[in-house]
Amino acid sequence: MKIFNNIIFLVLFTILSCKESIIDTPTPVSSPAKNVVINELFRIDSTKYYSHWWLEIYNPTKKDVSITNWKIKFINSNFEISLSDQKTTNVISQGTFIVITNNKNIFNDFWNIAPLTILLDFSKNFPIIKDNDEIQLIDNENKIISILRFGNYKCSGNDPFPNNKSFGTVKEWHSICRYSDPFGAFDTGNSENDFFEETKPIVGYYSQRMKY
């Protein structure tokens, strides 16, 4: 009888242990972007002779998107870029990148461009982006569809995006890069959560680091 009881105990213990291990297994969190997104930012401070920046936007959707009358706004740095001023393209195709830089000469000295990437041909140099800022991607209906907050950025006044926390700072020659998602790009609307510090930036490259 004692042996029988021990067998019953072992069977129940095994079943309960298996059930508990299944419950404790983490479930992957997926939050695919539904719009074109700000994908990556690289900047070198203005005190360096090779000071420059580049910004990458990415279309993870399954359709081509017109960027006519779109703009990119830098809140603290106090300037904006009209994408309609560029003659290179009026469309960002599905799965492609658009890269903007403030200095093409320095950019070409340091960076190669991956396939499926368009480098917008700006005729003038833009200011250096401040080390804490909010970058907004704004569509033709004046709707903010993607935001990157970084450094010690804090919104002055009432914050329309109170759940969007600043990512922080990164080391020189590193970038702020968006996590990928099984569907193309990870986007919860919170910079602190959606981006990571990339140690080896590549221009126009789909991030392989997923957020779970």
Side-chain angles (χ1 to χ4, degrees):
M1 187 68 179
K2 184 175 182 181
I3 295 174
F4 179 79
N5 288 338
N6 287 340
I7 292 173
I8 295 296
F9 173 80
L10 287 173
V11 171
L12 288 174
F13 178 80
T14 301
I15 293 172
L16 291 174
S17 297
C18 291
K19 186 177 181 181
E20 183 177 0
S21 65
I22 293 171
I23 293 172
D24 290 343
T25 301
T27 302
V29 177
S30 178
S31 183
K34 298 179 176 62
N35 302 300
V36 176
V37 293
I38 296 169
N39 193 64
E40 191 168 3
L41 170 68
F42 175 91
R43 63 175 298 279
I44 294 290
D45 193 72
S46 58
T47 59
K48 307 296 174 62
Y49 77 93
Y50 43 78
S51 172
H52 70 290
W53 59 263
W54 51 265
L55 178 71
E56 185 180 88
I57 63 175
Y58 172 53
N59 181 4
T61 71
K62 298 185 181 300
K63 60 183 179 180
D64 296 347
V65 178
S66 170
I67 57 172
T68 301
N69 296 324
W70 282 32
K71 58 187 176 183
I72 299 174
K73 194 170 185 177
F74 301 80
I75 302 301
N76 266 358
S77 301
N78 196 29
F79 72 98
E80 68 180 46
I81 295 171
S82 172
L83 298 183
S84 292
D85 290 343
Q86 313 315 312
K87 299 178 181 179
T88 308
T89 183
N90 291 318
V91 173
I92 179 168
S93 301
Q94 54 181 314
T96 64
F97 302 83
I98 288 179
V99 178
I100 301 151
T101 182
N102 74 315
N103 191 312
K104 280 188 66 179
N105 292 329
I106 295 179
F107 178 92
N108 290 331
D109 286 341
F110 290 100
W111 305 100
N112 294 317
I113 302 177
L116 301 178
T117 305
I118 299 169
L119 177 64
L120 290 190
D121 185 13
F122 287 98
S123 58
K124 63 179 180 179
N125 289 351
F126 289 94
I128 287 294
I129 302 170
K130 291 186 177 180
D131 57 9
N132 61 92
D133 210 339
E134 176 181 296
I135 303 175
Q136 301 176 348
L137 178 61
I138 304 171
D139 68 11
N140 62 325
E141 297 179 347
N142 212 34
K143 178 183 176 183
I144 300 172
I145 61 171
S146 185
I147 289 178
L148 168 57
R149 289 177 170 177
F150 63 94
N152 297 314
Y153 178 83
K154 292 182 180 179
C155 180
S156 58
N158 293 328
D159 190 348
F161 306 100
N163 295 322
N164 194 326
K165 308 300 180 183
S166 181
F167 174 79
T169 58
V170 298
K171 295 179 181 178
E172 188 172 283
W173 293 105
H174 292 186
S175 70
I176 301 172
C177 187
R178 183 179 293 276
Y179 280 108
S180 66
D181 178 274
F183 299 94
F186 186 82
D187 187 20
T188 65
N190 180 4
S191 300
E192 184 180 52
N193 189 50
D194 293 344
F195 292 84
F196 66 94
E197 182 171 355
E198 175 57 73
T199 59
K200 297 179 180 178
I202 302 176
V203 181
Y205 183 71
Y206 169 67
S207 165
Q208 298 299 305
R209 187 179 297 192
M210 292 191 180
K211 178 77 171 185
Y212 290 120

